[in-house]
Amino acid sequence: MSINPKPQSFFLLLLLLTSLLISSYSSSPDADAEPNQPGSDEDSDDLEQLLAVDEQLQQDLPHHQQSEAETVSKAQRIVLELSGDNAKRVVDGNEFVMVLGYAPWCARSADLMPKFSEAATALREIGSPIVMAKMDGDRYGKAASEMEIKGFPTLLFFVNGTSQPYTGGFSAEEIVIWVQKKTGSPIITVNTVDEAQRFLKKYHTFVVGLFNKFEGSEYNEFVKAAKSDDEIQFVVTSDSDVAKLLFPELKISNVFIGMVKTEAERYTAYDGSYKMEKILEFLGKNKFPLITKLSESNTAWVYSSPVKLQVMIFAKADEFQNMAQPLEDFARRFKSKLMFIYIDITNENLAMPFLTLFGIEDANKTVVAAFDNKLNSKYLLESDPSPSNIEDFCSGLADGTVPRYYRSEPVPDNENASIVTVVGKTFDEVVLNSQENVLLEVHTPWCVNCEAMSKQVVKLAKHFKGFENLVFARIDASTNEHAKLQVDDYPTILLYKSGEKEKPLKISAKLSAKDMAVFINEELKPRGGSAKDEL
């Protein structure tokens, strides 16, 4: 493990959370009854009958209750319940199947149930060929294991019985877009204003293309980009009035590409060359809001951003709202150079892993920090997080003038200590810049062998007491960092010889105290001097 923690490692840890964040709930068939195989005539007839009954029931409800009840009930019936008996038949017997592995006791499953159900309803309404199903992996453990449901919830996508990774988002709209791109056309064609208005009711983030004819190199590159992207819905039209309804800031009437989002920076026109790679690059840089709110379900999406220098604002919700406007202004100014991310500091699951990297896990006030996931470096605004200070911090990040941040414990009192305690702030003074030879023990609290090594170092310090120009020191690598200290395993013993501090000698931790004494003596004794290697 490196003493200089890599920022993206914590992003990757958060990615593991995303596998726990997808679920739905739907009514289950009788435990002893086996659901019909979707795609069969019997299954289709039964489903239509159930929906017909459902619609009749909705008519008997008060109007204000009908919409919600109708959505839930239809979704419950559309999502097929899998069991140990029918799972393999359903997956192998249909071209496209999406399976949600869940557990009834999983809180995150319950939170996201409506999204999966809503996606199932939307996909059925547009005539998607996919079968949407779910399995209680806790109840049908063997079948779940065979389908590689390893946690709850898990979302799986099957094509002709073969599992493929699901890489989409976790909202209903994102699931629908991903499934459509995998099972149908990657582009929706809109020909009339009425169609455009219906489209706008369903989709909130999309890419619109205006082409006189749906042919030619420019259109073909647009189609190739649509096929390559799994996250954003593409829509195309040849009518400039329709295009203007979809993209009100449209200024031209021939060939055009633009992106629409539901946030402050709502409309963004594309001005690059009509090449798939350039269009995808445009999407990568513009698909994120000016300020992205980090959640358990979007960590993978955030980490996928091509902008690797990311400014993180840790704040309470009300404090963030007071900062939002100047932060949006900064995000516009530094767009494509810096990505801005907001993390609710009261959400320990999200905030704590990052704050721990700075040694400020107990922070309860606004913190502004940054990570460069390309250089594996981190930065901290150590002054008051006022708008002007944040702006200066961001300017320095963009220019590369902000120094990296290295974690450090408070400077300790080493008076009369036989073994000097080194922290991040004193590493230069005690180790690198001193004229003395320094034997440094690098340890961590969780290291199994570190305690035994510490006892060895105590023996060595006593043995070499009075030895001219030799200092024994130790540093806790779990709470202290330094640019010149890169350690891969613990414990590690390094000998920094005077005049050769840039190239410390690593002493094997497998050596006995006596063998270490011999090594130290051989390296440090004056030419022709006597050895002091008997402990």
Side-chain angles (χ1 to χ4, degrees), residues 364-375:
N364 56 16
K365 295 183 179 180
T366 299
V367 173
V368 178
F371 291 94
D372 191 325
N373 294 321
K374 185 177 181 179
L375 300 178

Side-chain angles (χ1 to χ4, degrees), residues 98-338:
M98 181 167 282
V99 178
L100 181 64
Y102 72 98
W105 44 259
C106 175
R108 290 192 175 101
S109 293
D111 289 340
L112 293 178
M113 283 176 184
K115 297 179 181 179
F116 188 79
S117 298
E118 185 183 342
T121 302
L123 287 164
R124 180 175 177 81
E125 288 176 350
I126 62 179
S128 172
I130 195 166
V131 173
M132 300 291 279
K134 64 173 185 172
M135 173 181 280
D136 182 343
D138 195 36
R139 180 179 180 185
Y140 302 108
K142 182 179 179 181
S145 178
E146 291 174 351
M147 296 179 72
E148 297 189 357
I149 295 174
K150 300 177 181 179
F152 305 118
T154 295
L155 194 59
L156 303 172
F157 178 66
F158 294 89
V159 178
N160 294 320
T162 301
S163 177
Q164 295 187 4
Y166 176 76
T167 58
F170 304 119
S171 69
E173 182 177 329
E174 289 169 331
I175 293 172
V176 169
I177 291 172
W178 193 91
V179 169
Q180 275 290 89
K181 293 207 173 191
K182 295 297 181 182
T183 63
S185 173
I187 300 177
I188 294 176
T189 301
V190 175
N191 297 312
T192 67
V193 170
D194 287 343
E195 290 177 357
Q197 290 173 338
R198 289 196 295 271
F199 176 88
L200 289 172
K201 291 179 180 180
K202 291 183 178 180
Y203 298 95
H204 306 95
T205 298
F206 56 88
V207 177
V208 56
L210 171 63
F211 298 91
N212 295 326
K213 294 183 179 180
F214 298 155
E215 60 183 29
S217 60
E218 294 174 332
Y219 174 74
N220 291 337
E221 292 296 317
F222 182 76
V223 173
K224 287 164 62 177
K227 291 180 178 179
S228 298
D229 178 84
D230 291 333
E231 298 179 16
I232 305 171
Q233 182 61 60
F234 280 56
V235 59
V236 67
T237 185
S238 58
D239 189 308
S240 59
D241 290 334
V242 170
K244 192 166 185 63
L245 178 61
L246 297 172
F247 196 99
E249 295 185 2
L250 181 67
K251 304 266 194 249
I252 58 178
S253 58
N254 46 10
V255 179
F256 172 82
I257 294 176
M259 186 168 188
V260 179
K261 296 179 289 186
T262 56
E263 54 112 6
E265 192 183 38
R266 184 164 175 75
Y267 302 104
T268 307
Y270 176 65
D271 59 1
S273 62
Y274 281 71
K275 296 294 182 182
M276 178 192 71
E277 296 80 5
K278 293 297 183 181
I279 296 173
L280 292 175
E281 183 180 331
F282 165 76
L283 298 185
K285 291 181 178 179
N286 289 279
K287 66 182 179 181
F288 295 95
L290 289 174
I291 304 174
T292 300
K293 182 178 181 180
L294 192 70
S295 66
E296 285 90 347
S297 62
N298 72 358
T299 52
W301 183 63
V302 170
Y303 185 68
S304 71
S305 170
V307 181
K308 297 303 181 183
L309 185 50
Q310 301 175 345
V311 178
M312 292 188 170
I313 300 93
F314 302 86
K316 296 177 181 177
D318 56 343
E319 294 175 350
F320 174 74
Q321 287 302 318
N322 295 332
M323 306 166 63
Q325 188 57 57
L327 286 173
E328 286 184 358
D329 294 340
F330 302 154
R332 287 189 183 90
R333 175 182 168 187
F334 297 106
K335 189 175 180 180
S336 79
K337 291 185 178 181
L338 305 177

Side-chain angles (χ1 to χ4, degrees), residues 17 71 89 104 146 169 227 252 279 284 299 313 414 419 493 511:
L17 295 174
T71 299
R89 186 174 71 249
E146 291 174 351
K227 291 180 178 179
I252 58 178
I279 296 173
T299 52
I313 300 93
N414 284 309
I419 300 177
I493 306 297
L511 294 179

Side-chain angles (χ1 to χ4, degrees), residues 253-505:
S253 58
N254 46 10
V255 179
F256 172 82
I257 294 176
M259 186 168 188
V260 179
K261 296 179 289 186
T262 56
E263 54 112 6
E265 192 183 38
R266 184 164 175 75
Y267 302 104
T268 307
Y270 176 65
D271 59 1
S273 62
Y274 281 71
K275 296 294 182 182
M276 178 192 71
E277 296 80 5
K278 293 297 183 181
I279 296 173
L280 292 175
E281 183 180 331
F282 165 76
L283 298 185
K285 291 181 178 179
N286 289 279
K287 66 182 179 181
F288 295 95
L290 289 174
I291 304 174
T292 300
K293 182 178 181 180
L294 192 70
S295 66
E296 285 90 347
S297 62
N298 72 358
T299 52
W301 183 63
V302 170
Y303 185 68
S304 71
S305 170
V307 181
K308 297 303 181 183
L309 185 50
Q310 301 175 345
V311 178
M312 292 188 170
I313 300 93
F314 302 86
K316 296 177 181 177
D318 56 343
E319 294 175 350
F320 174 74
Q321 287 302 318
N322 295 332
M323 306 166 63
Q325 188 57 57
L327 286 173
E328 286 184 358
D329 294 340
F330 302 154
R332 287 189 183 90
R333 175 182 168 187
F334 297 106
K335 189 175 180 180
S336 79
K337 291 185 178 181
L338 305 177
M339 179 178 182
F340 286 73
I341 302 169
Y342 162 59
I343 301 177
D344 185 347
I345 200 170
T346 64
N347 186 331
E348 292 186 359
N349 290 336
L350 286 176
M352 189 69 71
F354 293 103
L355 295 176
T356 299
L357 287 174
F358 295 92
I360 52 175
E361 52 269 26
D362 295 329
N364 56 16
K365 295 183 179 180
T366 299
V367 173
V368 178
F371 291 94
D372 191 325
N373 294 321
K374 185 177 181 179
L375 300 178
N376 302 331
S377 57
K378 60 181 182 287
Y379 310 86
L380 180 67
L381 175 62
E382 299 188 66
S383 58
D384 176 64
S386 65
S388 60
N389 286 340
I390 294 175
E391 183 177 18
D392 291 342
F393 180 67
C394 293
S395 295
L397 289 170
D399 296 338
T401 56
V402 176
R404 294 186 180 189
Y405 179 86
Y406 295 97
R407 186 171 40 175
S408 176
E409 292 180 289
V411 177
D413 181 6
N414 284 309
E415 187 175 358
N416 300 322
S418 59
I419 300 177
V420 176
T421 298
V422 179
V423 297
K425 294 177 180 178
T426 62
F427 190 85
D428 284 332
E429 176 188 353
V430 176
V431 179
L432 297 182
N433 298 335
S434 71
Q435 298 301 311
E436 298 172 299
N437 302 295
V438 179
L439 185 135
L440 180 67
E441 171 197 354
V442 186
H443 68 96
T444 65
W446 42 261
C447 166
V448 175
N449 299 317
C450 285
E451 184 176 355
M453 177 55 66
S454 292
K455 293 178 180 179
Q456 296 274 64
V457 173
V458 170
K459 290 181 181 179
L460 290 170
K462 290 181 179 179
H463 175 68
F464 283 97
K465 185 176 181 180
F467 193 88
E468 185 178 355
N469 206 28
L470 176 60
V471 172
F472 283 81
R474 60 165 52 112
I475 186 170
D476 181 349
S478 70
T479 52
N480 297 280
E481 301 167 344
H482 192 278
K484 296 296 181 67
L485 184 62
Q486 301 294 327
V487 176
D488 296 322
D489 59 313
Y490 308 107
T492 290
I493 306 297
L494 299 172
L495 179 60
Y496 290 83
K497 297 173 65 174
S498 180
E500 303 176 27
K501 297 296 181 74
E502 292 298 320
K503 296 180 179 180
L505 301 175

